[in-house]
Amino acid sequence: MAVSSSPSSSSSSSSSSESSDNAKAWILPGIVAGVAFAAAAGARAYFNGFRKFRSRVVGIIPARFASSRFQGKPLVHILGKPMIQRTWERAKLASTLDHVVVATDDEKIADCCRQFGADVIMTSESCRNGTERCNEALQKLEKKYDVVVNIQGDEPLIEPEIIDGVVKALQAAPDAVFSTAVTSLKPEDANDPNRVKCVVDNHGYAIYFSRGMIPFNKSGKVNPQFPYLLHLGIQSYDAKFLKIYPDLQPTPLQLEEDLEQLKVLENGYRMKVIKVDHEAHGVDTPEDVGKIESLMRERNLS
């Protein structure tokens, strides 16, 4: 037998339904508000953490006296100042560096640097390259750092903005352990083995470095329309990666090209690359000193 609803039961059912609807009406905005609050709090925590990510930065200028192409290069005078001093002065202008030191195995270089006010870390003669010298210096520093910038001592006209650029690139790429800079390569330098070339992927990560012309087209000639990239010497590393770098075994491509960046890539690590509008003014041979001095005079740099 069917049971009909009495007015009272109908009213009770209606009241219950309204109560349920009211509850849902309150619950949904509450959930949304809670999610929004949690998201906002999470975002704040994320961005606060991001600001602190790899925040402590030291610039290290590795310098050695022995050089197959240019003995005593860091001490050569450029318009009256040792080249290592000019590099140090430019590095001090970078806004991202908390500290700048010179890392050397030579007392003559160390004495020179102390005279113009630089902090010096003495390193061993066994360092095979600038990266290993930076790592040894890092271990000897009293303070702890998250990022180490390897600033080439033979770049007396290095732009502070480039130093800041490679630091910020590494800070913004948690999946990278290394960052560096490239610029446009002049066609006449395409076959110069002292001008290291670089190719990158669509996301700004390094694919390969070479002393030869890359990419190499079927004609075997320089394509004046192709945007070849020249690697600039400046590099920054995640400090934790730098500690394990010397323990990585030399790799075939690294040994063949004599380029330490290839050991990083061959071991599967990622390297962020930034492109800058800057001409390379490195000093590789004694003849380069006159070119640098002429350029400085043109720019009224003392």
Side-chain angles (χ1 to χ4, degrees):
M1 182 176 63
V3 178
S4 63
S5 298
S6 65
S8 61
S9 66
S10 176
S11 174
S12 173
S13 174
S14 175
S15 174
S16 173
S17 176
E18 289 176 6
S19 175
S20 175
D21 289 343
N22 287 339
K24 290 178 181 176
W26 282 101
I27 290 172
L28 186 57
I31 292 174
V32 172
V35 170
F37 178 80
R44 281 196 299 273
Y46 174 81
F47 285 113
N48 285 337
F50 185 78
R51 279 196 291 268
K52 295 178 181 178
F53 181 64
R54 293 172 173 165
S55 60
R56 296 164 298 182
V57 185
V58 60
I60 300 179
I61 307 174
R64 64 191 183 99
F65 191 87
S67 173
S68 58
R69 288 182 294 175
F70 196 167
Q71 187 87 346
K73 181 166 63 171
L75 299 180
V76 66
H77 276 230
I78 296 179
L79 293 186
K81 288 184 180 180
M83 181 166 64
I84 189 71
Q85 179 177 354
R86 291 202 172 276
T87 303
W88 177 81
E89 289 174 347
R90 299 291 290 177
K92 293 282 284 184
L93 297 175
S95 63
T96 55
L97 301 184
D98 298 303
H99 190 35
V100 180
V101 300
V102 175
T104 185
D105 58 5
D106 186 85
E107 284 295 343
K108 293 185 290 295
I109 294 176
D111 289 342
C112 172
C113 293
R114 293 187 186 106
Q115 287 177 24
F116 62 74
D119 288 334
V120 178
I121 299 291
M122 297 303 299
T123 54
S124 65
E125 295 181 0
S126 62
C127 294
R128 291 170 290 186
N129 50 51
T131 301
E132 291 191 8
R133 198 171 302 283
C134 284
N135 175 58
E136 185 177 336
L138 176 67
Q139 309 313 315
K140 293 181 177 181
L141 289 170
E142 294 181 3
K143 292 184 179 180
K144 300 298 180 184
Y145 294 94
D146 307 308
V147 174
V148 178
V149 187
N150 179 346
I151 303 167
Q152 300 294 308
D154 57 4
E155 279 272 353
L157 296 181
I158 183 69
E159 297 290 348
E161 293 80 6
I162 296 178
I163 297 175
D164 293 333
V166 296
V167 171
K168 292 174 182 177
L170 188 60
Q171 290 172 330
D175 58 342
V177 298
F178 193 118
S179 66
T180 190
V182 296
T183 191
S184 297
L185 176 72
K186 295 179 180 179
E188 60 267 29
D189 291 335
N191 294 307
D192 183 348
N194 293 320
R195 295 288 187 259
V196 177
K197 296 81 179 176
C198 176
V199 288
V200 301
D201 65 19
N202 290 336
H203 303 286
Y205 290 89
I207 297 175
Y208 193 69
F209 294 84
S210 180
R211 295 185 181 278
M213 185 179 74
I214 54 172
F216 189 86
N217 59 60
K218 288 189 293 185
S219 73
K221 299 178 181 178
V222 176
N223 178 1
Q225 305 304 316
F226 191 88
Y228 297 101
L229 298 176
L230 170 68
H231 180 229
L232 300 176
I234 186 167
Q235 302 169 157
S236 73
Y237 325 94
D238 178 276
K240 293 179 181 177
F241 167 75
L242 186 59
K243 291 179 182 179
I244 68 171
Y245 174 87
D247 296 327
L248 297 175
Q249 291 300 308
T251 55
L253 295 175
Q254 175 203 1
L255 294 174
E256 184 65 18
E257 295 260 18
D258 190 22
L259 294 174
E260 58 184 291
Q261 298 83 11
L262 293 176
K263 184 166 78 165
V264 180
L265 297 180
E266 282 186 272
N267 277 284
Y269 293 98
R270 303 199 80 187
M271 185 183 304
K272 191 69 174 177
V273 179
I274 62 168
K275 187 174 187 297
V276 298
D277 183 16
H278 175 72
E279 288 190 27
H281 300 299
V283 177
D284 295 316
T285 65
E287 291 73 30
D288 292 331
V289 174
K291 298 176 184 177
I292 292 290
E293 290 183 328
S294 296
L295 185 61
M296 292 179 68
R297 291 190 185 98
E298 290 174 11
R299 297 184 180 183
N300 292 319
L301 297 173
S302 58

